[in-house]
Amino acid sequence: MSAPPDQPPTGRARGRARGRARTSEEAAAIVAARRPGEVASTVGGQVTSLGRGISPVGRGVSPGKEMPSVPSSGRAYNRGSVTGKPGSSTSDQSSSLSSSLSAIKITSGSSSGHGTVVGEASVGRGAVRGRRDRATEFYVRTRPDTLQSKKGTLGDEMACASNYFALVAKPNWRLLQYRVDMSPDIDHTGVRKALLYHHKATLPKFMFDGTVLFTTTRLNPNDAPIVLTSTREHDKATVTITIKLVGEVQPTDYHYMQFFNIVLRSAMEKMQLELIRRNYYDPKASITLGQYKLELWPGYVTSIRQHESQILLCCEISHKILRTDTVLDQIEEVHKRTGGAGSFHASVEKALLGAIVITRYNNKTYRIDEIDWNKHPTDEFEGRNNEKMSYQKYYTERYNRSIRDPKQPLIVSMPKVRDERGGVSGPIYLIPELCNMTGLSEEQRANFQLMKALGDYTRQDPKKRCETLKKFSERINTNQEIQTELTAWNLQFSRDLEQFRARILPPEVILGSGSSKATYQLENADWGTCFRKWNSFSVQSCTKWAVVCASRDEAATKEFITSLTKVAPSLGMTMNKPKMFPLPDNRPASYIQALDRVIECNPSIVMVVVPNNKGDHYAAVKKKCCLEKPVPSQVVTATVLSKPKGLMSVATKVAVQMNCKLGGEPWAVKIPLTDTMVIGYDTYHDTSQKGRSVGAVVASMNSTFTKYLSVANLHTNPAQELNDNMCPAITKALRKYNEINGNLPSRIIMYRDGVGDGQIPYVMEHEIAAIQNCFRAAGLTDDQLLFTYIIVSKRINTRFFTGTKPGQYGNPNSGTVVDDVVTLPERYDFFLISQSVRQGTVNPTSYNV
């Protein structure tokens, strides 16, 4: 049994569990890897370019001075992104590192039982300390080496601002890395930090993690090692501290950006903001929506990173939605609904499993993984000193929180990977009464008034958003503590939003059949009015079809069918009267029984009118019509049909959908590419069933990209996703394309959604290679096929605004492209605004080619 949260782990084992040393292959590969932005070429055996920002004598090293040596052993080895002797080429570093590593032998005869490393070089403790299974030390480069510029030329230029602030550094600013050794050797990081911080007054501003020291000021003009002495508290022993220069940290190194993120985090804490998960919120500025039992905490999502030519701070406005109802309130609500019957436990688990809760006593969030009905607050657990203590007593003594219901079950939350590294091994038990719900339930999302009240605060238009961003900038630049800290690092944040030039693409012409053509205004991208007289690109007749509805909705359904038959001819469709199947009640089981009878009549499409949008009826209908007895189906909710206002507009949209499901094509655009297939792939992760995901592939089958093949499958891990889902689906798509067109495509463009930044290395190493093997197996060789793989990211924090002055800010029009300044130097990427919004700020989409 694990103790409640917030009980710090003890013992040395917590440090050992942090990670592993690199293998020689990994170390050599990382040093040999070219950094983002580098283009190294050789002419006659001489290196003509050492890469971005590296001079022949090394960045930040004055000519004529002795070069600092690179450690081949000791604590700093393989730690802190050592870049080697300034001026040495990557190939030299790689070969010397490989030769020294090849001389290392590992034996297992030491008295400690851990094995010893012998040979000409020894891998110091720094190789293991703090090493975790994390992303590569350098950002993954996806930009082709031959690409000089990724800026496009099509479209009209426009002035644009974004939610980025430049980080301004003094001229010749550089981040230096030093190795810190102590004699006698000390293993405890906290003690090491304390011993060095004794000299805080005599050293310039520095950052020390127990192994490596970072500073922006040279400790010694001639770069010679510095020797200091400190007295250890517990035994009054004298400890000698030796600080040696390793080199300058390059802008492309992982630790370079890590340094800036630590500085930013320190600034956010000085603004007295509360850290919840990864973002900072301001509980003092909370907004209470009492009638909906909700509380809103405004906050900021921030990140700092090297962009095309400078380091930029991205700041996005965020709101944490906290519910004032507890998990116990939710359990009691379900109890009222079910009357505590046999389905009570199952109903509670359905409602709560996978939900994120917050404990207000420490503002930490947890995921509900299980509900333990056999444990209660009166149960005891083993405390820190092997003492027995009840949960009730623990929360009273530790947090001064009393528990009113001693019979409530306990929530089980499994520790995150980060917690496990910190020493938390077993499950974490929480008291439902002390856990507040976060986010919105389905019922709350369906409440129009609630969503409108929330939207007044969360959906800020560009003017309001820019005002909030300016206030953030003012807070950082006027807070005395933050300014003192930044001045010590010789840094400053810009007060103004980053401005640059973007492009806006001309509107596309939308094609119907015959002379039907449509375009749209750039301001709103709306061309829905064209459907009043529109000949679809291709049409399927709807002659034999059926409608299933509850008896109480029959009148509204008949009125809607009349509207459908009126709008169908204007779209070029032939729509006969359907056969009606009224139901005595609206239970999901009644719909299933009726569908069994309907499908036996072999209709071309079935329309099903369900009572509401709660999902039970929809899931039952789609399971029957997609999995068990495949037939095209169109589901409509009775609540929509009961509103006469706008019924013709709804009928038009439903008729367009029905035409598509029957195999018709409502519209098309001119595609200049020939023999091209477009593939789309996305993943859905089930929050309630951890580990289970659904992957879906769609692939175009014709030259106008209006007919698609789709395949969806369940999977539990990335390898299964690749081998059992994606690759077979792509093989099936190629076979079908060949069957329809008589040839395989000569160009394939794949759009991949659902990939985070940390997954890009896996995608490049495994996924793209597996897909290319698919193509080869289908008979497409590398020289016959042009393959483009694009990672699409919709959930990003970047925002763009038209105008460059307060009061002028607005939403950019659809078709706006940004491919400079805020893009990343190691990527071939761009942003595209592909929609128009009436409320709030438009969300751009990021494309990484």
Side-chain angles (χ1 to χ4, degrees):
M1 180 190 293
S2 170
D6 263 19
Q7 194 128 317
T10 56
R12 290 163 57 91
R14 64 173 180 168
R16 294 190 193 120
R18 286 178 182 168
R20 57 178 178 78
R22 285 199 186 108
T23 63
S24 57
E25 292 85 357
E26 287 173 334
I30 283 175
V31 176
R34 185 178 296 143
R35 279 55 172 296
E38 285 184 12
V39 181
S41 57
T42 55
V43 178
Q46 298 294 313
V47 177
T48 57
S49 168
L50 298 172
R52 190 178 165 102
I54 301 176
S55 67
V57 293
R59 268 186 66 137
V61 179
S62 306
K65 288 184 183 174
E66 188 181 343
M67 299 295 178
S69 63
V70 182
S72 61
S73 64
R75 298 176 59 85
Y77 186 71
N78 263 345
R79 180 85 199 275
S81 301
V82 177
T83 54
K85 285 183 185 177
S88 65
S89 71
T90 49
S91 57
D92 292 338
Q93 294 171 37
S94 179
S95 58
S96 63
L97 181 65
S98 299
S99 59
S100 62
L101 284 167
S102 63
I104 295 172
K105 292 175 188 156
I106 296 178
T107 65
S108 56
S110 75
S111 58
S112 65
H114 293 298
T116 55
V117 181
V118 296
E120 291 178 17
S122 78
V123 180
R125 282 168 44 241
V128 179
R129 178 181 289 275
R131 184 132 307 286
R132 301 171 182 166
D133 291 334
R134 67 182 176 207
T136 174
E137 297 290 287
F138 309 107
Y139 292 116
V140 179
R141 182 183 173 85
T142 57
R143 181 175 181 154
D145 293 336
T146 53
L147 186 72
Q148 294 300 315
S149 170
K150 58 187 176 188
K151 284 187 72 173
T153 53
L154 181 65
D156 301 321
E157 280 204 354
M158 56 174 274
C160 193
S162 70
N163 59 336
Y164 285 85
F165 297 94
L167 182 66
V168 184
K170 290 192 176 176
N172 300 321
W173 189 94
R174 55 181 63 88
L175 181 63
L176 300 168
Q177 176 186 321
Y178 287 83
R179 178 175 107 228
V180 179
D181 288 317
M182 295 190 182
S183 178
D185 209 358
I186 295 163
D187 192 47
H188 194 284
T189 302
V191 175
R192 291 178 66 85
K193 284 184 177 181
L195 290 169
L196 184 65
Y197 276 99
H198 284 165
H199 303 278
K200 193 176 179 181
T202 56
L203 292 170
K205 181 76 174 173
F206 65 88
M207 195 178 284
F208 181 54
D209 66 356
T211 307
V212 176
L213 180 146
F214 295 104
T215 183
T216 56
T217 311
R218 288 190 178 278
L219 301 185
N220 203 332
N222 62 2
D223 295 333
I226 287 180
V227 180
L228 306 168
T229 55
S230 290
T231 305
R232 191 160 50 187
E233 288 294 324
H234 73 277
D235 60 357
K236 305 301 178 189
T238 301
V239 178
T240 306
I241 303 169
T242 308
I243 307 173
K244 293 180 184 174
L245 177 68
V246 171
E248 183 181 345
V249 183
Q250 298 302 319
T252 49
D253 293 349
Y254 172 83
H255 284 275
Y256 192 82
M257 283 301 102
Q258 191 183 39
F259 164 81
F260 287 111
N261 277 296
I262 291 169
V263 171
L264 174 62
R265 183 169 176 155
S266 170
M268 299 296 277
E269 284 167 357
K270 286 179 172 63
M271 286 163 68
Q272 296 183 328
L273 299 176
E274 198 77 53
L275 179 66
I276 299 182
R277 303 190 100 183
R278 293 183 179 181
N279 304 323
Y280 284 89
Y281 296 92
D282 192 351
K284 291 176 184 172
S286 66
I287 302 150
T288 305
L289 301 173
Q291 68 272 41
Y292 302 115
K293 293 185 178 178
L294 291 178
E295 197 177 317
L296 275 179
W297 285 11
Y300 308 101
V301 179
T302 53
S303 65
I304 196 164
R305 191 158 177 179
Q306 174 73 48
H307 288 264
E308 291 297 342
S309 57
Q310 56 189 334
I311 292 168
L312 298 176
L313 160 66
C314 176
C315 177
E316 168 57 348
I317 310 305
S318 172
H319 288 84
K320 189 76 183 168
I321 300 173
L322 302 175
R323 283 155 59 177
T324 53
D325 58 330
T326 65
V327 175
L328 184 60
D329 293 336
Q330 291 292 305
I331 294 172
E332 287 170 352
E333 190 71 34
V334 175
H335 190 271
K336 276 182 201 168
R337 237 178 15 240
T338 60
S343 61
F344 168 58
H345 285 192
S347 300
V348 170
E349 285 166 3
K350 185 182 177 184
L352 295 178
L353 290 187
I356 303 294
V357 297
I358 184 169
T359 47
R360 289 293 187 92
Y361 49 80
N362 60 0
N363 279 333
K364 284 192 175 181
T365 55
Y366 301 90
R367 184 183 187 276
I368 301 178
D369 291 307
E370 200 182 322
I371 296 166
D372 194 331
W373 299 97
N374 299 317
K375 279 194 187 300
H376 307 287
T378 51
D379 288 10
E380 293 184 329
F381 67 94
E382 206 170 90
R384 192 178 300 173
N385 302 319
N386 297 326
E387 57 178 317
K388 295 279 186 182
M389 183 186 282
S390 72
Y391 291 97
Q392 198 159 1
K393 187 182 175 187
Y394 172 82
Y395 282 103
T396 304
E397 291 180 1
R398 181 80 189 265
Y399 297 109
N400 195 25
R401 299 288 170 123
S402 57
I403 296 167
R404 62 181 172 85
D405 182 358
K407 292 185 178 178
Q408 60 188 299
L410 297 190
I411 295 170
V412 181
S413 179
M414 298 310 291
K416 302 165 192 154
V417 176
R418 184 177 171 182
D419 297 327
E420 286 175 348
R421 280 199 298 259
V424 180
S425 55
I428 298 163
Y429 288 93
L430 302 165
I431 311 292
E433 194 180 317
L434 302 180
C435 298
N436 285 76
M437 303 295 294
T438 64
L440 297 173
S441 65
E442 290 301 317
E443 197 175 326
Q444 287 172 317
R445 287 181 193 281
N447 185 334
F448 176 77
Q449 293 301 328
L450 184 153
M451 296 307 288
K452 187 174 181 295
L454 270 181
D456 292 341
Y457 298 101
T458 58
R459 278 199 301 270
Q460 295 184 350
D461 63 22
K463 284 182 186 174
K464 184 83 195 306
R465 190 174 290 262
C466 289
E467 282 173 20
T468 313
L469 289 169
K470 288 276 188 182
K471 282 178 188 170
F472 168 78
S473 170
E474 287 299 316
R475 282 178 81 174
I476 277 192
N477 284 292
T478 54
N479 184 300
Q480 203 53 50
E481 274 188 272
I482 296 172
Q483 284 309 299
T484 305
E485 173 102 351
L486 291 175
T487 305
W489 290 117
N490 295 323
L491 296 171
Q492 186 185 352
F493 284 110
S494 167
R495 287 175 180 263
D496 300 317
L497 300 175
E498 191 66 18
Q499 296 174 8
F500 46 86
R501 306 291 291 174
R503 293 178 294 120
I504 183 156
L505 303 176
E508 289 293 328
V509 176
I510 296 135
L511 308 172
S513 70
S515 59
S516 280
K517 280 185 183 177
T519 186
Y520 51 88
Q521 295 294 318
L522 282 172
E523 291 76 40
N524 61 11
D526 183 16
W527 46 282
T529 52
C530 303
F531 287 129
R532 286 173 190 158
K533 286 185 180 178
W534 180 260
N535 291 324
S536 296
F537 196 71
S538 75
V539 185
Q540 295 292 324
S541 297
C542 188
T543 50
K544 186 183 179 183
W545 61 296
V547 176
V548 178
C549 65
S551 300
R552 68 171 75 167
D553 303 321
E554 194 171 354
T557 304
K558 282 181 177 174
E559 195 179 330
F560 180 67
I561 290 164
T562 306
S563 302
L564 264 181
T565 50
K566 279 181 187 173
V567 300
S570 66
L571 296 169
M573 283 181 74
T574 304
M575 189 174 280
N576 293 348
K577 275 200 165 187
K579 188 174 180 182
M580 301 287 291
F581 288 83
L583 304 174
D585 55 62
N586 60 12
R587 292 181 303 113
S590 303
Y591 279 88
I592 299 305
Q593 289 162 12
L595 281 171
D596 283 329
R597 297 199 308 274
V598 171
I599 295 168
E600 283 173 13
C601 303
N602 203 25
S604 54
I605 191 168
V606 180
M607 178 183 282
V608 184
V609 180
V610 296
N612 51 50
N613 60 357
K614 283 189 177 172
D616 295 346
H617 295 81
Y618 183 83
V621 169
K622 289 298 178 184
K623 186 180 178 186
K624 175 63 69 178
C625 297
C626 293
L627 297 176
E628 295 173 16
K629 295 182 178 179
V631 63
S633 58
Q634 178 68 44
V635 179
V636 188
T637 57
T639 47
V640 172
L641 304 189
S642 59
K643 295 172 186 171
K645 191 181 175 184
L647 199 62
M648 291 299 279
S649 174
V650 172
T652 305
K653 288 169 183 170
V654 169
V656 169
Q657 287 185 46
M658 289 172 71
N659 183 28
C660 286
K661 290 174 181 179
L662 290 166
E665 300 154 277
W667 56 77
V669 291
K670 191 178 178 184
I671 305 292
L673 304 172
T674 55
D675 283 342
T676 303
M677 175 190 273
V678 172
I679 298 174
Y681 184 86
D682 197 2
T683 311
Y684 166 78
H685 304 290
D686 190 348
T687 52
S688 60
Q689 297 183 48
K690 216 172 182 182
R692 276 172 64 100
S693 304
V694 179
V697 173
V698 292
S700 64
M701 293 288 119
N702 61 356
S703 59
T704 52
F705 301 160
T706 52
K707 289 184 181 289
Y708 286 81
L709 173 134
S710 64
V711 181
N713 277 312
L714 285 162
H715 60 267
T716 53
N717 58 60
Q720 189 187 2
E721 178 180 20
L722 204 57
N723 302 324
D724 300 349
N725 189 358
M726 190 187 292
C727 291
I730 290 172
T731 304
K732 184 179 178 181
L734 289 168
R735 196 163 55 240
K736 192 71 178 173
Y737 186 97
N738 192 26
E739 200 178 291
I740 293 169
N741 299 285
N743 61 282
L744 288 166
S746 58
R747 183 195 301 265
I748 293 176
I749 302 167
M750 182 164 179
Y751 291 91
R752 171 73 154 97
D753 203 351
V755 174
D757 282 4
Q759 295 167 304
I760 293 174
Y762 176 85
V763 163
M764 292 185 71
E765 289 168 27
H766 301 281
E767 193 168 296
I768 293 175
I771 292 166
Q772 286 175 322
N773 286 337
C774 262
F775 297 154
R776 293 183 196 108
L780 286 167
T781 57
D782 294 352
D783 57 341
Q784 286 178 312
L785 179 70
L786 295 169
F787 178 45
T788 306
Y789 186 97
I790 303 168
I791 294 172
V792 183
S793 304
K794 298 190 291 291
R795 292 182 182 180
I796 56 174
N797 296 318
T798 302
R799 298 288 179 269
F800 299 120
F801 317 103
T802 55
T804 54
K805 292 179 184 174
Q808 294 181 349
Y809 295 116
N811 277 319
N813 294 328
S814 62
T816 300
V817 174
V818 175
D819 50 14
D820 195 21
V821 181
V822 294
T823 50
L824 297 172
E826 70 274 11
R827 292 186 185 177
Y828 185 12
D829 62 338
F830 63 92
F831 295 96
L832 171 67
I833 292 174
S834 48
Q835 79 270 25
S836 180
V837 296
R838 291 191 182 94
Q839 294 177 314
T841 306
V842 69
N843 284 3
T845 305
S846 165
Y847 296 84
N848 180 14
V849 183

